[in-house]
Amino acid sequence: MRLTTKGRFAVTAMIDLALREHSGPVALAAISARQQISLSYLEQLFGKLRRHELVESTRGPGGGYSLGRKAEDITVADIIVAVDEAIDATGCGGGENCMGEDTGRCMTHDLWASLNAKMLEHLHSISLKSLVDDQLNRGVSVEEAPIKRAISSQPVVKPIKITAPNSVFALGSALAK
């Protein structure tokens, strides 16, 4: 059994979000840059997480994502299941046809099915909050969000007013005066 990138990236992105959401909604572009995950891939994952109400989105300037529930109420299993990640060590996907359609289960089917149940139980026991706390205890620094200002720090440049004629006809009219 191997957890694919979908589940690993979703959990990583959710930890990043939970670490920074105290400053307001977190932009996916910022998570993408910090975690080096494609922005378009994150958009797909967060669409699924939003449908499962694990995150909420805020549109517009200063928008982004925030947790849909408290971090202690979100488990790793919730995240992995939300992004359609299969947690399955059996060769048959739980179909009990490991040896083929007509031959049935393999001799180790119950072993792998039991492992699936234990993995799911374990992932349900780990909260997003505990993963965030682990990161903070390891000394992960969470930068303060930049102050968002409605007024640009750039000076306003007024456009240059052009008084020259803009066509041959306007030039002729200006010269005739």
Side-chain angles (χ1 to χ4, degrees):
M1 201 285 308
R2 184 170 167 254
L3 191 61
T4 64
T5 57
K6 196 182 332 182
R8 289 187 290 121
F9 285 167
V11 172
T12 299
M14 288 290 283
I15 294 169
D16 189 294
L17 172 65
L19 280 166
R20 292 168 176 82
E21 79 158 355
H22 66 277
S23 300
V26 179
L28 286 186
I31 296 173
S32 172
R34 281 189 297 270
Q35 303 305 327
Q36 299 179 357
I37 302 171
S38 159
L39 180 58
S40 61
Y41 195 60
L42 279 177
E43 288 169 346
Q44 292 173 26
L45 293 177
F46 272 72
K48 292 177 180 185
L49 293 167
R50 189 174 49 77
R51 283 189 288 283
H52 282 82
E53 299 178 347
L54 298 180
V55 297
E56 296 174 343
S57 62
T58 304
R59 293 179 178 249
Y65 284 88
S66 52
L67 295 178
R69 302 190 293 227
K70 293 179 182 176
E72 56 267 16
D73 296 334
I74 298 173
T75 68
V76 173
D78 294 334
I79 297 167
I80 291 173
V81 169
V83 297
D84 301 326
E85 182 70 75
I87 301 171
D88 188 12
T90 65
C92 61
E96 297 189 9
N97 57 353
C98 315
M99 302 291 291
E101 291 299 319
D102 298 330
T103 56
R105 302 181 337 168
C106 66
M107 292 190 298
T108 57
H109 179 86
D110 291 334
L111 169 69
W112 304 126
S114 173
L115 177 60
N116 290 346
K118 294 290 185 188
M119 284 188 301
L120 198 55
E121 179 183 325
H122 179 66
L123 294 176
H124 270 297
S125 74
I126 303 169
S127 72
L128 181 58
K129 182 175 180 356
S130 69
L131 296 175
V132 168
D133 291 344
D134 287 347
Q135 292 301 307
L136 293 172
N137 290 337
R138 287 189 181 124
V140 169
S141 64
V142 179
E143 66 285 346
E144 288 298 317
I147 299 171
K148 297 174 183 170
R149 300 176 190 251
I151 301 172
S152 174
S153 60
Q154 298 293 323
V156 176
V157 178
K158 294 184 179 182
I160 300 169
K161 186 171 183 178
I162 300 173
T163 57
N166 64 353
S167 71
V168 174
F169 300 109
L171 178 60
S173 296
L175 292 176
K177 291 183 183 177

